[in-house]
Amino acid sequence: MSALSEFLVASNLLPHGHCLFWRPDLLLLHVISDALIALAYFSIPLALLELLRRRKDLVFNHVFLMFAAFIMACGLTHVFNVADVWLGMYPLSGLMKAFTAFISVVTAVACWKLLPAAVALPSPTQLQEEVTRRKHAEHELRGHNNRLELRVAERTAEITQINEQLTEEIEARVAAQERSQFLAEVVEWSDDAIVRVDTKGIIQSWNKGAETLYGYSADEIIGQSIEITFPDDEAGAETLFSKLLENPISHTREVRRVAKDGTVIHVLLTISPIRHGENEKIIGFAGISRSIQERIESEQALMASSERLMKINAELKNFVYIASHDLQEPLRLIISYLTILQEDYSDKLDEDGIRYIGYTVESGERLQQLINDLLGYSRLTTAKTEMGITNPQALIQHVQDDLKLLIEEKSAEITVSPNLPELQCDAPQLRLVFQNLISNALKYCGEGTTPKIDISATQDDVETCFKITDNGIGFEQRQADRIFQVFRRLHPRHHYSGTGIGLAICKKVLERHGGRIWAESEVGAGSTFYFSIPRNIDSAILAE
Amino acid sequence: MIPTRPAELLLVEDNPAEAELIQRVFKREKIRNNINHVTTGEEALLFLRKEAEYQNAPDVDLVLLDLNLPGLNGHEVLEEIRADKKLSITPVIMLTNSRNPSDVEEAYRNHVNCYVAKPSGIADLANIVQNIDQFWFQVVVRPTKD
């Protein structure tokens, strides 16, 4: 230690100024130059450190550090040179130089070692080119990028579209599947029998409705020919299906089919071809059948009852003739033989006997009249009403001709209003009405009274109304409805003859024309009969 | 025209009262006709063909045929008569109670000579009997069998 300190502080050495003879000019030159060099050398590491601080990315930063240390050391060497001018501390400055030499050598070695790498470092021009190249590349890249993005966008759109299509397709398939499942369920649980057969009539499907209707279960019948359900009198499956293939259109008809238990059922059958593939080849037929048994039965019942009614109606129509034959024949014989008794055997009978036979003949004849009147009345209900334009004036004239004897006998005065309107009616039937009303007016006339009959009519848009007034015995107004009933009479037979059918016939005729008849009367003050016939007679009434 | 023999009538009538009445009226009207009476259509045909017990039956000049007969009815008897070559020319009068138009029509379709409905009173019947005699045996020329 003491040796080192002796080495370092060698006070016996001359300051460097001595070598310069302390010439001021030389001193200044050396001192100022060394000081400036030192200052400059100190500033450089600062700049390098600042550079390093700022540029963290510098590749050879350890070289920069070594450089900074080397320059700093150089600077310090120059500081020692200045100090040596006055102090002559050469050992210390020598050590400083040695240190500087060491750093310099190390830095120089590092520099040389670094040289290839440093040479490899691009020049600014190269860098500029590189930058340009890179910019160009970048531009290209951006172009590529844009194109790529565009393609990506296109592709994305395509994919989105495909995706949407796929979604739609999937949804459609799901819907179709649901629909087909729904249809399958409908078919399976339908009350209608729904059956599928191939083109030869072999059953391929058989729903619940078919099981119920025909009684066969699907398991036992699938694979068999549909012919099993055909009635014996119908052509077989072969005929049917060859016809269907010739003319494959959907059609519906009523047919008979045989159930498993052998019962024949009426069904409404719709057969439709089932087509398959693009060429629509017929691969079979669908048959939908439904029992119309109830309808057929009710139709048959209806037809039977209609036939029965028609028969009854015909029988009723026939009744008038049957009655005229069967009732009149014995009656006619009774009257005929009684007449023979009266005429040929009167000498063998006493007075009472003759009188009794007289009563019997009278009653028989009256019965005959009743039967005839009743037949006339019932014939009215069965006879056809034939309408035509009729002149009532002529009809009344005919009636007057028929009743000529009675009119003359009673010296009756019949006044017919001129210009009676023509009307639409069944003339023979209307004649019956006038016949009955006029003969009644003549018949029911007070003793010693001259019958006066007045006939007039009015017509409006709706109907024609006739009015027949007499000066006869009249009747109580409260009887006005009863007189139109069959066999209803107001007077004892020995006063006024008649069966009581005339006014009932009048009423029936007018009902058949859609019209009506009524009367106004007072005992002893004559009667007025009115009847009306509509101008437009409902055809429904005539059809009755 | 004076008949050489009494005319032979065949009355086909199942009701004896009816048959006797007609016969009596003929008698009352002093008509000199022979009235042969049978009660069924079958008997009438045997009589006309002179078969079975009717082998000695006379030729019939006029048939008075009722409609309502047991067995073969009047229409069927008429048909048989018209279908039989020998009998077909025999005049037939339908004398019946029926006024049914269908009966009338059928009778004429089967070529009845006339259709008469029985009247309700004896006077009318007498009148008809007179008319039949008058017309068929004095007015018209009837076919002869030979």
Side-chain angles (χ1 to χ4, degrees):
Chain A
M1 188 68 198
S2 59
L4 184 62
S5 54
E6 272 177 23
F7 174 74
L8 289 174
V9 190
S11 52
N12 55 345
L13 297 175
L14 281 176
H16 192 237
H18 278 289
C19 298
L20 303 173
F21 298 107
W22 301 103
R23 269 177 57 183
D25 55 339
L26 286 174
L27 282 174
L28 277 174
L29 180 64
H30 277 273
V31 168
I32 291 169
S33 296
D34 279 329
L36 286 173
I37 290 170
L39 282 171
Y41 277 14
F42 287 151
S43 72
I44 288 173
L46 287 173
L48 282 173
L49 285 172
E50 183 60 23
L51 178 69
L52 279 177
R53 196 182 65 80
R54 291 195 183 177
R55 290 283 302 270
K56 304 276 187 205
D57 59 331
L58 284 180
V59 271
F60 308 122
N61 48 2
H62 65 287
V63 178
F64 280 94
L65 278 177
M66 285 166 76
F67 232 86
F70 154 68
I71 290 173
M72 182 65 97
C74 286
L76 282 174
T77 311
H78 282 280
V79 172
F80 276 93
N81 282 349
V82 172
D84 277 344
V85 171
W86 283 283
L87 298 174
M89 42 196 281
Y90 299 112
L92 207 56
S93 63
L95 280 173
M96 191 62 227
K97 268 186 185 165
F99 176 71
T100 305
F102 174 74
I103 290 183
S104 301
V105 170
V106 171
T107 305
V109 170
C111 264
W112 279 107
K113 277 178 83 175
L114 192 69
L115 194 63
V119 168
L121 280 177
S123 67
T125 324
Q126 275 178 323
L127 275 175
Q128 193 58 48
E129 278 174 4
E130 180 66 18
V131 165
T132 314
R133 199 179 56 78
R134 287 202 177 183
K135 273 190 179 166
H136 185 70
E138 197 181 324
H139 182 72
E140 271 187 9
L141 195 67
R142 202 175 291 133
H144 279 303
N145 220 19
N146 285 346
R147 277 196 296 281
L148 202 65
E149 272 176 12
L150 204 67
R151 283 196 61 190
V152 166
E154 281 173 5
R155 199 78 188 112
T156 308
E158 267 175 36
I159 287 170
T160 309
Q161 200 185 348
I162 288 171
N163 210 25
E164 278 170 9
Q165 278 176 353
L166 274 174
T167 310
E168 274 173 25
E169 216 167 283
I170 288 169
E171 278 171 3
R173 279 193 192 180
V174 168
Q177 201 175 344
E178 278 173 2
R179 207 162 46 237
S180 115
Q181 196 168 349
F182 170 72
L183 283 176
E185 296 257 332
V186 167
V187 166
E188 185 58 17
W189 295 102
S190 167
D191 275 348
D192 289 346
I194 304 177
V195 175
R196 206 182 72 215
V197 298
D198 67 10
T199 52
K200 295 218 157 54
I202 303 301
I203 296 164
Q204 293 175 326
S205 79
W206 187 262
N207 76 339
K208 293 270 187 296
E211 290 187 342
T212 312
L213 184 59
Y214 295 104
Y216 294 99
S217 72
D219 289 341
E220 68 181 312
I221 203 162
I222 286 177
Q224 296 204 55
S225 171
I226 191 72
E227 201 174 295
I228 198 170
T229 63
F230 290 10
D232 290 341
D233 58 355
E234 194 173 301
E238 210 182 308
T239 319
L240 173 71
F241 287 102
S242 61
K243 264 190 207 165
L244 284 173
L245 282 170
E246 272 171 32
N247 187 21
I249 46 159
S250 176
H251 66 281
T252 302
R253 63 202 169 105
E254 287 178 14
V255 294
R256 284 171 305 123
R257 287 291 174 260
V258 184
K260 190 183 180 184
D261 62 8
T263 52
V264 174
I265 40 180
H266 290 265
V267 299
L268 187 69
L269 172 66
T270 302
I271 300 179
S272 312
I274 304 172
R275 296 171 194 273
H276 184 72
E278 278 178 15
N279 54 0
E280 301 221 313
K281 187 173 181 270
I282 292 170
I283 54 161
F285 295 93
I288 303 176
S289 50
R290 153 183 305 202
S291 172
I292 48 168
Q293 197 65 20
E294 276 179 29
R295 204 200 74 201
I296 293 283
E297 275 169 15
S298 65
E299 271 177 8
Q300 282 170 348
L302 200 68
M303 210 177 281
S305 90
S306 157
E307 271 171 20
R308 211 163 47 239
L309 278 175
M310 275 163 73
K311 213 172 142 193
I312 289 170
N313 208 25
E315 274 173 11
L316 273 174
K317 278 188 177 178
N318 219 16
F319 168 80
V320 290
Y321 302 109
I322 291 166
S324 83
H325 186 275
D326 291 352
L327 293 181
Q328 302 230 41
E329 186 182 349
L331 187 58
R332 189 172 46 75
L333 286 173
I334 291 167
I335 296 166
S336 297
Y337 277 105
L338 286 170
T339 312
I340 287 171
L341 281 180
Q342 263 182 334
E343 291 175 3
D344 298 359
Y345 295 84
S346 55
D347 54 335
K348 291 175 183 166
L349 293 165
D350 64 9
E351 266 185 37
D352 282 352
I354 290 170
R355 197 172 62 254
Y356 297 162
I357 288 174
Y359 291 153
T360 320
V361 171
E362 215 173 277
S363 297
E365 282 171 351
R366 181 166 168 71
L367 182 54
Q368 228 164 17
Q369 188 59 47
L370 281 171
I371 290 170
N372 282 333
D373 284 352
L374 198 55
L375 290 179
Y377 180 77
S378 78
R379 216 174 272 134
L380 258 187
T381 61
T382 52
K384 232 178 174 178
T385 301
E386 287 180 21
M387 306 299 291
I389 298 288
T390 307
N391 175 5
Q393 214 93 36
L395 277 187
I396 294 165
Q397 191 53 54
H398 283 305
V399 172
Q400 281 179 277
D401 292 346
D402 288 346
L403 298 171
K404 199 176 173 188
L405 282 176
L406 194 59
I407 291 168
E408 282 174 0
E409 188 188 304
K410 299 223 172 190
S411 319
E413 291 173 21
I414 300 180
T415 316
V416 181
S417 149
N419 311 321
L420 287 182
E422 286 194 334
L423 74 160
Q424 183 90 7
C425 67
D426 180 311
Q429 289 188 20
L430 191 66
R431 181 171 163 171
L432 274 178
V433 174
F434 282 117
Q435 171 102 32
N436 281 299
L437 291 179
I438 294 170
S439 67
N440 277 357
L442 293 171
K443 199 196 294 176
Y444 299 102
C445 185
E447 293 231 3
T449 314
T450 304
K452 285 183 180 163
I453 302 168
D454 195 70
I455 303 172
S456 62
T458 55
Q459 190 172 52
D460 60 21
D461 290 345
V462 182
E463 58 184 15
T464 311
C465 186
F466 289 87
K467 179 180 174 187
I468 295 156
T469 309
D470 64 45
N471 60 341
I473 56 172
F475 52 86
E476 293 175 73
Q477 185 59 37
R478 63 185 177 89
Q479 306 278 15
D481 287 334
R482 277 191 225 171
I483 56 173
F484 296 104
Q485 293 170 10
V486 179
F487 296 148
R488 176 66 77 157
R489 294 171 48 81
L490 300 180
H491 307 283
R493 200 177 306 135
H494 56 273
H495 285 163
Y496 299 98
S497 65
T499 55
I501 202 97
L503 290 177
I505 285 176
C506 293
K507 185 167 183 247
K508 178 65 80 180
V509 167
L510 289 157
E511 277 172 0
R512 300 201 76 190
H513 283 77
R516 62 192 194 99
I517 184 167
W518 68 102
E520 287 170 2
S521 185
E522 202 180 305
V523 176
S527 311
T528 302
F529 284 83
Y530 300 91
F531 66 87
S532 64
I533 292 178
R535 300 192 67 183
N536 284 314
I537 296 171
D538 188 351
S539 55
I541 294 168
L542 298 176
E544 270 175 10
Chain B
M1 189 179 180
I2 298 176
T4 52
R5 59 170 174 87
E8 296 290 340
L9 270 70
L10 178 64
L11 174 64
V12 191
E13 174 61 68
D14 66 312
N15 186 344
E18 194 86 71
E20 197 173 335
L21 183 69
I22 291 165
Q23 285 170 306
R24 183 165 184 105
V25 171
F26 266 91
K27 209 155 100 191
R28 274 164 57 120
E29 298 304 314
K30 315 265 192 292
I31 293 167
R32 271 188 63 250
N33 289 331
N34 278 338
I35 299 185
N36 305 278
H37 173 223
V38 293
T39 56
T40 66
E42 289 83 348
E43 280 180 313
L45 291 170
L46 290 175
F47 190 98
L48 290 166
R49 289 168 180 152
K50 302 182 185 183
E51 288 170 357
E53 73 254 45
Y54 302 110
Q55 294 197 350
N56 299 319
D59 288 338
V60 172
D61 296 301
L62 184 68
V63 181
L64 297 175
L65 182 59
D66 188 21
L67 257 185
N68 194 14
L69 294 168
L72 287 178
N73 69 21
H75 291 303
E76 290 158 344
V77 174
L78 179 61
E79 263 182 79
E80 288 268 339
I81 292 171
R82 291 295 180 244
D84 188 311
K85 214 175 172 186
K86 280 188 184 165
L87 305 181
S88 61
I89 55 169
T90 314
V92 176
I93 295 176
M94 205 63 97
L95 186 61
T96 173
N97 288 301
S98 170
R99 288 171 188 271
N100 192 335
S102 70
D103 279 337
V104 178
E105 198 184 311
E106 190 176 351
Y108 281 109
R109 196 179 299 122
N110 287 330
H111 310 292
V112 79
N113 294 85
C114 65
Y115 188 104
V116 179
K118 287 175 188 167
S120 55
I122 196 140
D124 292 334
L125 183 60
N127 199 19
I128 283 170
V129 163
Q130 280 287 4
N131 280 332
I132 287 173
D133 180 64
Q134 184 83 17
F135 184 73
W136 284 100
F137 298 107
Q138 292 176 44
V139 177
V140 305
V141 177
R142 284 171 288 111
T144 48
K145 291 275 160 164
D146 305 315

